[in-house]
Amino acid sequence: MPTLILVRHGRSTANTEGLLAGWTPGVALDERGAAQAAALPGRLEGVPISEVVASPLQRCQETIQPLLDARPGLTAHSEERIGECHYGDWSGRKLSELMGEPLMEVVQAHPSAAAFPGGESMRAMQTRAAEAVREWNARVERDHGADAVYLMCSHGDIIKSLVADALGLHLDLFQRISVEPCSVTVIRYTRLRPFLVRLGDTGDFASLVPREEAPGGDAPVGGGAGAP
């Protein structure tokens, strides 16, 4: 079965403004996010990517564009099922305000029971994303062979949930996983089990440098803004 490269979109304007973007239209990459996207073709140089699949949201489409420009023969597809979690009434709100919501504690400690008002549950988010991956695995293997490599560009919570699925972790543990903007996560699927080959690889260690203000202990909903 194929090898899947999961790329989280580059840093967005919502990330830097501390907003939970969700499906809010018009959320683009910021200056650093654009630079991260521009560096992606070089990071993946030599990797024989057969297909590119991306969330339809603008920040993901902008992230894959430099790669498509560098490989004009590469086919790109839009896939709604790997789009961001539908945060419903939380979409567009400041994360600092949402920290006081009783639901946030559920999102952090028991996400399998979390459902966003006017949106979807985190279980539904994981299910649709995992179904999309399994269908694309079969499609890529059919069209390009069992050793093919393909890329999906998606969002923090989606990628974390797919990693949990690959590792056989309960969704309630997925907040222990971290994927920064434009990080690369690789899962090699086989007939019997998936193998996690890379996790949240950004190619640098800036996020390990101590900050003046220590980050909060909770997992950032949506994935966070990454290293400063």
Side-chain angles (χ1 to χ4, degrees):
M1 296 179 68
T3 296
L4 170 60
I5 298 173
L6 288 162
V7 177
R8 185 184 168 199
H9 62 77
R11 196 174 74 176
S12 72
T13 54
N15 292 145
T16 48
E17 292 170 8
L19 301 176
L20 186 62
W23 284 71
T24 304
V27 177
L29 299 182
D30 68 5
E31 185 176 352
R32 179 172 180 176
Q36 290 171 331
L40 192 58
R43 293 170 63 195
L44 296 174
E45 186 176 4
V47 179
I49 299 170
S50 59
E51 305 270 4
V52 171
V53 185
S55 158
L57 294 171
Q58 180 178 340
R59 52 197 183 274
C60 286
Q61 297 292 322
E62 290 180 350
T63 298
I64 63 168
Q65 193 57 54
L67 180 62
L68 298 177
D69 291 342
R71 303 192 188 193
L74 199 55
T75 303
H77 309 269
S78 182
E79 174 58 79
E80 288 202 5
R81 291 175 296 175
I82 62 167
E84 182 63 283
C85 185
H86 291 277
Y87 296 117
D89 298 344
W90 280 26
S91 298
R93 292 181 60 187
K94 282 196 167 292
L95 287 164
S96 58
E97 297 173 358
L98 293 171
M99 293 307 296
E101 296 280 354
L103 177 60
M104 183 60 84
E105 186 176 6
V106 182
V107 170
Q108 293 294 331
H110 191 21
S112 66
F116 296 98
E120 70 178 334
S121 69
M122 301 198 90
R123 285 181 292 107
M125 173 200 75
Q126 183 187 42
T127 297
R128 63 171 164 86
E131 286 178 349
V133 166
R134 283 162 173 75
E135 289 181 20
W136 275 100
N137 281 349
R139 177 173 173 175
V140 169
E141 181 172 4
R142 181 198 68 204
D143 295 344
H144 302 283
D147 295 327
V149 178
Y150 74 108
L151 181 147
M152 279 186 168
C153 183
S154 187
H155 307 266
D157 281 350
I158 296 287
I159 294 173
K160 288 162 57 178
S161 75
L162 289 171
V163 170
D165 175 77
L167 292 176
L169 294 177
H170 196 283
L171 183 61
D172 286 347
L173 301 179
F174 100 125
Q175 296 290 26
R176 303 183 184 194
I177 299 165
S178 176
V179 290
E180 291 200 2
C182 223
S183 62
V184 172
T185 294
V186 181
I187 301 171
R188 179 176 295 125
Y189 289 88
T190 74
R191 185 173 63 86
L192 296 181
R193 65 184 62 86
F195 292 91
L196 181 62
V197 181
R198 295 284 190 279
L199 175 62
D201 190 340
T202 61
D204 65 59
F205 298 98
S207 64
L208 303 182
V209 177
R211 306 182 192 181
E212 292 184 8
E213 294 185 8
D218 284 337
V221 180

